[in-house]
Amino acid sequence: MSAQNELQATVDALAQAGKGLLAADESGPTIAKRFKTIGVESTEENRRAWRTLLLSTPGLGEFISGVILYEETLGQQADDGEPLPQLAAHQGIVPGIKVDTGKIPLAHASGDEITQGLDGLAKRLEGYKAQGARFAKWRAVYNVSDTLPSRLAIEANAESLARYAAICQEAGVVPIVEPEVLMDGDHSLTRCAVVTEAVLHEVFHALNRHAVVLEHMLLKPSMVIAGKGHALHASVEQVAAHTVAVLGRTVPPAVAGIFFLSGGQTPEEATANLDAINRTGRRPWPLSFSYGRALQESPLDTWCGQPQNVREAQLALLKRARLNAAASLGCYDANEEIV
Ligand code: 13P
């Protein structure tokens, strides 16, 4: 298959109407933090057990088209010896891989951060592909205050995202471009809208400079939402209106799909907001989900590291996947939360 056909086939497999992505690519420190909430130690075996539980959920492929994995998981196996990326593929779920190596403070820009991982990326992608990964993810983060993010942070992170995306496409791997405007802080919805618009403008300028084919990439943005510490809680309609306005001004129609991150919203909020976004009318791109916490929180609480809870936890995951799939079509029924 030519590189272009390979990228197109992966995009088509990921951007299916009524399906979204599962982000299960927590780094070592992050998964340890999640496990701590249920009193489970983050050992390699516990991480394998948890991610096997997620990927072996019967019927998950009905609502989930792709899963983002962490490097360690690519090399792990289910109890019966099947490699976990293959287990996902057997469910009709495309395996992908987080390829950035995390964030550090941005030099000469107090309070801003920059994501690392470009060195040796082309070589690493060869290995990930051989292990079954067909798409990748790189997350840039933007802290928000009255003065943050700085122009420097907006430009530097856009440049890195674009370099990453170009390297992926050259390797026949579909890049998910993830610029996350953080919910931490007490900023308003309007401030988040201003920052998100500036961030996305810069990201698409950089993607253009690096000749990234928009049809062969996916965008994973944050929704336009007020900071967690802000006094006013915006309605789902306000979040939806601001989010689609900002995306409409910044994201070219050629982009194959937009898959939101949940970013610390509660599972129910993340579903309700996605639903409201899809009720605002037809858009040039599918608007779906690529949730980590908002999909995993309730199954994780149900599992608690106990083998006898696996089935129940899988049902909890399936429920959130099903409700988010409905929300991606604008037909989520909040009454289903209570059954
Ligand atoms: P959340 O949905 O928990 O924000 O995770 C998505 C993700 O992949 C963050 O990089």
Side-chain angles (χ1 to χ4, degrees), residues 52-63 91 310-311 314-315 317-318:
T52 301
L53 177 159
L54 296 174
L55 296 175
S56 62
T57 297
L60 193 63
E62 196 184 329
F63 310 113
Q91 293 254 48
V310 164
R311 186 63 198 129
Q314 290 182 327
L315 289 174
L317 171 65
L318 204 58

Side-chain angles (χ1 to χ4, degrees), residues 3-339:
Q4 293 309 302
N5 288 350
E6 188 179 26
L7 292 168
Q8 189 62 53
T10 302
V11 159
D12 291 345
L14 291 172
Q16 293 185 50
K19 293 190 186 185
L21 310 180
L22 166 63
D25 59 332
E26 298 83 4
S27 63
T30 305
I31 194 72
K33 199 159 75 181
R34 305 274 185 270
F35 277 5
K36 199 159 181 232
T37 65
I38 55 162
V40 168
E41 200 191 335
S42 181
T43 61
E44 185 178 348
E45 173 51 24
N46 285 339
R47 295 190 293 272
R48 187 196 69 84
W50 171 240
R51 285 156 174 167
T52 301
L53 177 159
L54 296 174
L55 296 175
S56 62
T57 297
L60 193 63
E62 196 184 329
F63 310 113
I64 300 290
S65 58
V67 61
I68 314 170
L69 302 172
Y70 190 57
E71 191 173 19
E72 175 189 72
T73 316
L74 270 189
Q76 287 180 322
Q77 299 172 350
D79 298 345
D80 63 1
E82 181 170 41
L84 291 183
Q86 203 173 302
L87 171 60
H90 278 156
Q91 293 254 48
I93 299 172
V94 181
I97 172 78
K98 166 205 189 73
V99 299
D100 67 71
T101 56
K103 57 194 173 61
I104 53 163
L106 177 63
H108 291 180
S110 175
D112 283 315
E113 294 176 290
I114 182 84
T115 302
Q116 307 191 98
L118 288 172
D119 285 357
L121 178 57
K123 190 85 198 142
R124 281 197 287 137
L125 284 171
E126 279 176 30
Y128 298 147
K129 252 189 126 178
Q131 290 177 293
R134 293 172 57 192
F135 71 97
K137 184 196 98 170
W138 178 289
R139 172 176 178 253
V141 298
Y142 304 86
N143 294 298
V144 182
S145 72
D146 290 345
T147 52
L148 297 177
S150 65
R151 247 348 273 172
L152 180 63
I154 290 175
E155 288 172 10
N157 276 295
E159 186 70 11
S160 297
L161 279 166
R163 290 254 292 123
Y164 139 81
I167 293 167
C168 285
Q169 288 190 338
E170 207 158 78
V173 172
V174 168
I176 296 189
V177 171
E178 180 181 10
E180 175 171 4
V181 176
L182 293 174
M183 275 174 73
D184 301 316
D186 56 9
H187 54 273
S188 65
L189 184 79
T190 316
R191 174 77 186 137
C192 180
V194 168
V195 170
T196 308
E197 189 171 331
V199 162
L200 290 175
H201 266 305
E202 199 60 36
V203 165
F204 281 96
H205 280 295
L207 290 167
N208 178 262
R209 275 199 305 279
H210 287 267
V212 171
V213 179
L214 301 182
E215 288 85 348
H216 292 161
M217 62 155 273
L218 303 173
L219 179 70
K220 174 164 174 164
S222 37
M223 294 177 187
V224 175
I225 220 160
K228 282 184 205 152
H230 190 68
L232 290 177
H233 191 79
S235 67
V236 291
E237 289 79 14
Q238 284 172 312
V239 169
H242 282 81
T243 301
V244 296
V246 167
L247 293 173
R249 289 176 192 154
T250 53
V251 184
V255 170
I258 298 180
F259 293 76
F260 294 102
L261 59 94
S262 61
Q265 299 181 55
T266 67
E268 294 77 14
E269 271 170 357
T271 309
N273 283 330
L274 179 63
D275 183 64
I277 286 169
N278 277 294
R279 284 180 195 253
T280 59
R282 270 183 73 82
R283 304 288 156 192
W285 347 259
L287 291 156
S288 191
F289 60 94
S290 174
Y291 292 163
R293 282 162 284 181
L295 280 169
Q296 292 187 53
E297 195 176 288
S298 71
L300 192 66
D301 288 345
T302 309
W303 176 54
C304 274
Q306 302 298 318
Q308 68 271 20
N309 296 337
V310 164
R311 186 63 198 129
E312 203 65 27
Q314 290 182 327
L315 289 174
L317 171 65
L318 204 58
K319 175 177 174 180
R320 292 260 50 98
R322 179 171 53 79
L323 296 181
N324 283 310
S328 75
L329 299 169
C331 38
Y332 159 65
D333 176 359
N335 292 320
E336 287 202 50
E337 292 289 357
I338 37 188
V339 293

